[in-house]
Amino acid sequence: MKNLMRKNAGLSLLLIGMILLSSFMLIKPADKPTFYLIGDSTVKNGKGKGDGGLWGWGNYIAPYFDTTRISVENDALGGSSSRTFQTLGLWDKVLAKVKPGDFVIMQFGHNDAGALDDTARARGTIKGIGNEQQEIYNPKRKIQEVVHTYGWYMRKYITDIKAKGATPIICSPIPRNVWKDGKSAGRNDDNSYGQWARELGEQTGTYFVDLNKMIADDYDEEGEAKVKSVYFGTDATHTLEPGAQLNAKFVIQGIRSFNKLVLNKYLK
């Protein structure tokens, strides 16, 4: 009788153990959200390792966040435009990873002003945010291609992100290191990518960080001599480490300005 009771007790414990194990296997810990960054070399220069002393602002974003609660992933690629980041399949790779509750910030424009069909890059987009399009022969990819406006490509990012249950954020392009009469001439105010990025935010109800204006205002205060010597290297577009850090600070400042943006709760 005692042996039977011990046997039944053992079976009961085994059954309880199996039930508990099954429960743990079925209950998957909730994935923490990811903050994705997409854009050109001013977001991630080269491989993001500071080659030539040049850095993008995306390299300095993660320290502002509690990365035990949110992941930060910089998927920007130097040389890309709002068009080529899509046509080269880069966006498809990022989008495949995006899940509900994630965030995607985008900054394009620096390379969108290039030619539509030159043999070197073929990365330009039609200016503006309308629905104009033009069929061209792409000599780089050796295919016929329908090229759209900057706004068309940006709207596709926004639509794709929202369809995944994630939150898009638009940035206007950082200003270049160009000056006129002692003031930053890298502003993108009228009929420019800064204006078009702002209009896209309004048109689509998307959070918009006017990075161009914030940085240009700061440049005006700090002065041409300091900006040229401290923030930039050998060209007027790509930033040294202090310049990238400054730009990242303003990206975060823009994010903090939106009280309803859930991304804020992951900031330190």
Side-chain angles (χ1 to χ4, degrees), residues 106-243:
M106 64 195 84
Q107 184 215 266
F108 290 102
H110 285 288
N111 300 317
D112 282 69
L116 304 187
D117 57 357
D118 63 310
T119 56
R121 301 276 192 169
R123 62 186 180 182
T125 56
I126 299 171
K127 292 178 171 55
I129 65 170
N131 290 312
E132 299 89 342
Q133 61 183 46
Q134 181 179 337
E135 184 172 346
I136 57 110
Y137 174 74
N138 187 323
K140 187 171 177 63
R141 298 176 64 204
K142 295 180 172 56
I143 60 167
Q144 290 294 123
E145 181 184 352
V146 176
V147 179
H148 302 273
T149 64
Y150 166 77
W152 187 94
Y153 293 105
M154 294 292 280
R155 278 192 295 272
K156 186 178 187 306
Y157 292 120
I158 293 164
T159 300
D160 288 347
I161 294 163
K162 289 182 177 180
K164 281 294 193 87
T167 302
I169 305 166
I170 305 169
C171 282
S172 53
I174 67 167
R176 286 187 166 90
N177 182 25
V178 290
W179 298 79
K180 183 178 180 180
D181 300 327
K183 296 292 183 181
S184 173
R187 293 181 181 276
N188 280 190
D189 291 331
D190 299 324
N191 199 31
S192 65
Y193 296 98
Q195 174 190 322
W196 298 328
R198 181 171 57 254
E199 290 174 347
L200 282 164
E202 295 168 353
Q203 182 187 84
T204 61
T206 301
Y207 293 108
F208 168 64
V209 176
D210 201 345
L211 193 56
N212 181 275
K213 182 182 185 304
M214 288 191 291
I215 298 171
D217 286 348
D218 181 83
Y219 285 176
D220 286 350
E221 289 184 13
E222 297 201 57
E224 182 176 355
K226 179 180 177 180
V227 171
K228 284 186 172 181
S229 63
V230 177
Y231 297 147
F232 285 91
T234 57
D235 63 63
T237 302
H238 303 98
T239 49
L240 299 171
E241 185 173 20

Side-chain angles (χ1 to χ4, degrees), residues 41 72 86 153 179:
S41 58
V72 179
Q86 293 183 27
Y153 293 105
W179 298 79

Side-chain angles (χ1 to χ4, degrees), residues 2 40 65 80 88 91 114 117 197 220 227-228 256:
K2 289 182 179 179
D40 53 38
F65 290 89
S80 62
L88 297 179
W91 175 233
D117 57 357
D220 286 350
V227 171
K228 284 186 172 181
R256 288 190 193 276

